[in-house]
C-alpha cells in the first residue's frame, strides 16, 4: 500500500483555514474513493496569524479586523466575503461574535491530541468554537472543555497546558514553517516535498495527491 503524509499548517482563528479544511476534506474523500490502495495520514501543524497577541487577553474579532485592515468598512467587506465563502462549503460563520485571542495554547493542545489520536477531531472542535459559537479559544478552561468534547482527559489536558506540554512541538513546527517559506495559511505539505498554499478547490487537492503518488512511484 502506498502511504502519503500530509501536514497542514494553519491557525484555528484563520477563516480561510476552515474553508480550506472543508475543501481539503472533499478532495481527500474523492481521492481515497478512487484510490483505495493509498493511505493518507493527515496532521495539523502550528501557525499563528498574530503571535504577538497577549496571552490571556482577547477582543472581538471585528475590532481586530478594523485595526488590521484599515477601518470598519474594509473589515465588514472582508468579513462578509469570508462568511459567504464559508457558507458555500456548509460552514456557519458568526464573525460578529467571534473572539480573537492568542492561539499558542490551542496549538499546544493540538499537539497532545495528536499523541492521543484525536487531533483531527479537536481541530474541528476548536474552529467551530471560534467561528460559530463565539468561544474564546485562548482560555485554558475552555480548551480543557473542548478537549473533553473529543475524548481528552480534562486533568491531563489541564496539566499539559499549565506546564510545558507541547511547547517544543509547536516551536519546531513554527521554525519549519519559517524555514520552508510558509508565510500564509493554510499550506498543505505532502511528504515534506510538495507544498500547496491556499484554500484550493477540492479538485486541485485530488490532482496534487495523484501527483504525489506518481512521484513516489
Amino acid at each position: 500500500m502506498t502511504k502519503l503524509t500530509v501536514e497542514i499548517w494553519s491557525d484555528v482563528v484563520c477563516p480561510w483555514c476552515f474553508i480550506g479544511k472543508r475543501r481539503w476534506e472533499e478532495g481527500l474523500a474523492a481521492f481515497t474513493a478512487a484510490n483505495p490502495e493509498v493511505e493518507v495520514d493527515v496532521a495539523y501543524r502550528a501557525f499563528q496569524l498574530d503571535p504577538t497577541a497577549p496571552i490571556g487577553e482577547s477582543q472581538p474579532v471585528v475590532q481586530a479586523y478594523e485595526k488590521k485592515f484599515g477601518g470598519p468598512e474594509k473589515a465588514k467587506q472582508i468579513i462578509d466575503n469570508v462568511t459567504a465563502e464559508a457558507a458555500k462549503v456548509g460552514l456557519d460563520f458568526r464573525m460578529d461574535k467571534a473572539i480573537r485571542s492568542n492561539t499558542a495554547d490551542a496549538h499546544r493542545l493540538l499537539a497532545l491530541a495528536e499523541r492521543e489520536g484525536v487531533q483531527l477531531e479537536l481541530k474541528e472542535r476548536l474552529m467551530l468554537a471560534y467561528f460559530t459559537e463565539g468561544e474564546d479559544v485562548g482560555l485554558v478552561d475552555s480548551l480543557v472543555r473542548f478537549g473533553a468534547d473529543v475524548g481528552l482527559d480534562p486533568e491531563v489536558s489541564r496539566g499539559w497546558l499549565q506546564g510545558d506540554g507541547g511547547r517544543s512541538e509547536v516551536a519546531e513546527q513554527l521554525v519549519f514553517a519559517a524555514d520552508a517559506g510558509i508565510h500564509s495559511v493554510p499550506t498543505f505539505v505532502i511528504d515534506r516535498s510538495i507544498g500547496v498554499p491556499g484554500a484550493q478547490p477540492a479538485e486541485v487537492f485530488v490532482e496534487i495527491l495523484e501527483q504525489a503518488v506518481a512521484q513516489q512511484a
Side-chain angles (χ1 to χ4, degrees), residues 42-45 109-119 173:
V42 181
Y44 282 90
R45 302 299 180 219
L109 191 62
L110 284 164
L112 174 62
E114 182 177 10
R115 293 187 182 189
E116 299 298 323
V118 292
Q119 192 197 47
Q173 293 164 20

Side-chain angles (χ1 to χ4, degrees), residues 25-178:
E25 289 164 348
E26 181 185 349
L28 177 61
F31 172 80
T32 54
N35 300 273
E37 76 286 358
V38 180
E39 179 182 345
V40 183
D41 287 343
V42 181
Y44 282 90
R45 302 299 180 219
F47 189 96
Q48 287 193 275
L49 292 179
D50 185 9
T52 66
I55 294 177
E57 298 181 18
S58 61
Q59 67 177 140
V61 75
V62 173
Q63 292 181 8
Y65 274 37
E66 289 175 356
K67 180 178 180 181
K68 181 176 181 179
F69 297 113
E73 184 176 344
K74 186 63 175 177
K76 183 179 186 303
Q77 179 183 349
I78 292 171
I79 289 172
D80 288 348
N81 179 51
V82 296
T83 299
E85 289 297 320
K88 293 177 183 178
V89 292
L91 295 174
D92 181 20
F93 276 15
R94 302 293 182 88
M95 303 292 282
D96 56 317
K97 62 179 183 179
I99 301 171
R100 177 62 66 88
S101 58
N102 191 291
T103 57
D105 285 344
H107 288 300
R108 291 173 57 214
L109 191 62
L110 284 164
L112 174 62
E114 182 177 10
R115 293 187 182 189
E116 299 298 323
V118 292
Q119 192 197 47
L120 302 186
E121 293 83 355
L122 181 61
K123 184 73 171 184
E124 178 76 11
R125 182 69 190 92
L126 291 172
M127 292 182 121
L128 283 173
Y130 175 76
F131 285 103
T132 300
E133 299 169 6
E135 295 268 15
D136 188 340
V137 296
L139 297 175
V140 169
D141 286 348
S142 297
L143 290 171
V144 169
R145 175 162 47 88
F146 302 144
D149 288 343
V150 300
L152 293 178
D153 183 293
E155 292 186 9
V156 173
S157 295
R158 188 174 298 279
W160 178 270
L161 292 170
Q162 290 179 339
D164 291 324
R167 292 191 192 279
S168 60
E169 290 96 324
V170 170
E172 289 171 6
Q173 293 164 20
L174 294 173
V175 168
F176 179 90

